[in-house]
Amino acid sequence: MAKVVWTEIAIDDLNNIANFHSQYSNNFASALIKKLFDKPKILKGMPELGRIVLKETTNPFVSL
């Protein structure tokens, strides 16, 4: 079974998103980050969801 691994860059991005939104609403920022962290859990029930990634990708945000 595949495992979702959050990269340091992704965690930093989520922290930046939370910090930005918390300027306006701590409740909204917390709810948003919780939703973003929970989204990959859908893969447990639907592991083939998403697009096919080619091995030759040069995208730094995609890895096999």
Side-chain angles (χ1 to χ4, degrees):
M1 176 175 262
K3 179 180 176 182
V4 174
V5 178
W6 292 92
T7 64
E8 189 173 327
I9 293 170
I11 297 295
D12 288 344
D13 286 345
L14 290 171
N15 283 329
N16 289 334
I17 291 167
N19 288 336
F20 174 79
H21 287 288
S22 67
Q23 295 176 55
Y24 307 101
S25 171
N26 284 328
N27 290 337
F28 177 79
S30 295
L32 176 62
I33 297 305
K34 181 177 179 348
K35 273 188 176 182
L36 292 173
F37 268 113
D38 286 347
K39 280 297 181 185
K41 291 179 184 175
I42 194 171
L43 295 173
K44 188 174 185 178
M46 303 169 100
E48 295 185 22
L49 183 70
R51 64 185 175 95
I52 297 172
V53 178
L54 302 175
K55 290 183 181 183
E56 297 84 30
T57 185
T58 58
N59 185 335
F61 300 106
V62 177
S63 66
L64 300 174

